[in-house]
Amino acid sequence: MESAVDRKKLNELIRNVITRTKPSDAQRRGLERTSTPKPLKKIESQTSPNQENSFDRTSYESYFSESNALYQLEVLLQTGVHIDEIAQCLSGLESNDAWNLRDKLNKLGANPNMLLLGLAGLDSDRAWAWRNDLSTNSITDDRSIIKSVAGLDSVKAWQWRDKYDKSDEESKGDLILSLVGVDSERAWSIRKANLKKGKHLNEIVQSLAGLDSDQAWSMRDNLKNTGANDVFLIRSLTGLDSEKANYWRDNFFPFGLGQGTVSALLQSYAGVSSLESWRKRKLLLEVGVDADALVRGFAGITIIKFDNIPLPLEIKKIVKESANLDMWAQGINGTWFTGIAWRTAQKQNQNPPEFEIIRKPKMSDEIDDDFEEV
């Protein structure tokens, strides 16, 4: 059983990961990895009518900071999160600090397949040198090799796909998945050809994640009518905050949802921090939620400041005992899939927030003793 001291340290780590503030060395020292997550129960909202009204008037600021993301991943590494979890969550990160972290993980013995996934979205000479080197490792598999070029539309990326495109159906499916975030004519040609054959429908719809064009929505409609799985249809909305995306989410929102659908909805909010997205997270939180999925849906939001909003407090009270600490790595930058999806969506400027920052927000005074400073 955890001691009161251990619990207080764990709560402090989770508080820091959620609010993305930097703990002191003393606060980080001795933090331990969480145990197996406990099942979640349905909870009742603690939000009063007055708090709900203040939620509507909330001013906030949110954005992604690579340096902050890397700092949080380093903190998680020090607390015992597995090196492979960190390795696969570096897609799209290419600062010197990011490469230093990859070097460290490689020396610590990270699985080369996970290191490859962490190269998704990177098209630099250094990234290609790593791909070439890792692909020769005896335990590397073709699935990770193909997915390592997810989000890329360069000549080199297509040559890479051609090189590892095998005749088996699994390989074809992975190639389609590597097209997540790719909006080129060649990518659409592959999607359409497989759709016409009725093959790889779930992979095709997932490859649309982050894309908000008329062509993408037309294909989603087609796939929905031809048997694509609901969970994968929702995954195709990852990172999107447009009117159409939220309309689609609403169609999956009747209560009584299956756990897989609820988890997919939560994860689809990666990179999305509009007030509407927080309202929907709150609704899902009230009917019973997968804490790991909730955390993964925070990817792409490393700095977030709220003015008089009670929701983060409710989230903390749920995840502090339930979320697997390994999942926190996926909730910072995202995996190879979510990391590419939310970046693709943000490049298309999906409904940017129109709220003025009035002052630097402060957390509510209602935080319980578990969240006091250590």
Side-chain angles (χ1 to χ4, degrees), residues 20 290-299 319 323 327-332:
R20 304 300 194 248
D290 174 353
D292 290 344
L294 180 64
V295 169
R296 288 195 288 266
F298 293 154
V319 300
M327 293 300 101
W328 283 105
Q330 298 184 25
I332 295 174

Side-chain angles (χ1 to χ4, degrees), residues 30-236:
L31 289 169
E32 295 185 1
R33 189 174 176 177
T34 54
S35 58
T36 303
K38 302 175 182 178
L40 287 167
K41 298 180 180 179
K42 177 177 177 178
I43 69 159
E44 300 298 330
S45 172
Q46 302 300 314
T47 306
S48 68
N50 289 335
Q51 287 175 319
E52 190 67 42
N53 290 335
S54 70
F55 183 70
D56 292 331
R57 297 194 300 271
T58 293
S59 295
Y60 75 100
E61 176 182 24
S62 70
Y63 53 92
F64 181 81
S65 163
E66 177 165 336
S67 60
N68 195 279
L70 289 167
Y71 176 84
Q72 294 298 334
L73 289 170
E74 285 274 11
V75 170
L76 291 174
L77 182 62
Q78 292 174 26
T79 64
V81 171
H82 198 280
I83 54 177
D84 289 347
E85 287 292 339
I86 305 294
Q88 70 161 330
C89 294
L90 297 175
S91 63
L93 302 180
E94 199 163 23
S95 63
N96 286 333
D97 286 341
W99 285 111
N100 288 339
L101 180 53
R102 288 188 181 93
D103 283 330
K104 178 192 290 187
L105 295 168
N106 192 28
K107 290 175 182 177
L108 288 172
N111 188 310
N113 291 296
M114 299 298 103
L115 289 167
L116 276 165
L117 294 178
L119 296 174
L122 303 182
D123 205 25
S124 65
D125 290 342
R126 191 170 186 178
W128 282 107
W130 270 65
R131 278 191 192 92
N132 284 315
D133 183 56
L134 290 169
S135 65
T136 63
N137 190 294
S138 60
I139 68 170
T140 301
D141 61 59
D142 289 350
R143 305 194 70 186
S144 299
I145 291 173
I146 293 179
K147 290 174 183 175
S148 76
V149 295
L152 298 182
D153 190 38
S154 65
V155 173
K156 278 187 176 181
W158 283 108
Q159 290 174 342
W160 190 262
R161 290 186 181 100
D162 291 340
K163 178 180 179 181
Y164 290 99
D165 181 15
K166 311 300 181 183
S167 59
D168 62 284
E169 292 302 312
E170 185 177 77
S171 175
K172 297 290 184 183
D174 288 331
L175 186 149
I176 294 171
L177 282 174
S178 80
L179 302 180
V180 58
V182 182
D183 199 21
S184 67
E185 183 177 342
R186 184 171 179 182
W188 284 110
S189 177
I190 292 174
R191 293 184 182 107
K192 290 175 182 177
N194 281 274
L195 177 57
K196 187 175 181 180
K197 296 175 183 177
K199 293 184 176 181
H200 306 294
L201 302 185
N202 292 329
E203 286 84 359
I204 296 171
V205 75
Q206 288 179 87
S207 78
L208 302 177
L211 299 178
D212 200 40
S213 64
D214 290 342
Q215 186 169 207
W217 286 109
S218 176
M219 184 164 283
R220 282 189 186 93
D221 284 329
N222 198 334
L223 286 160
K224 184 177 182 180
N225 295 328
T226 52
N229 184 282
D230 283 354
V231 169
F232 299 122
L233 285 164
I234 295 171
R235 287 198 79 191
S236 79

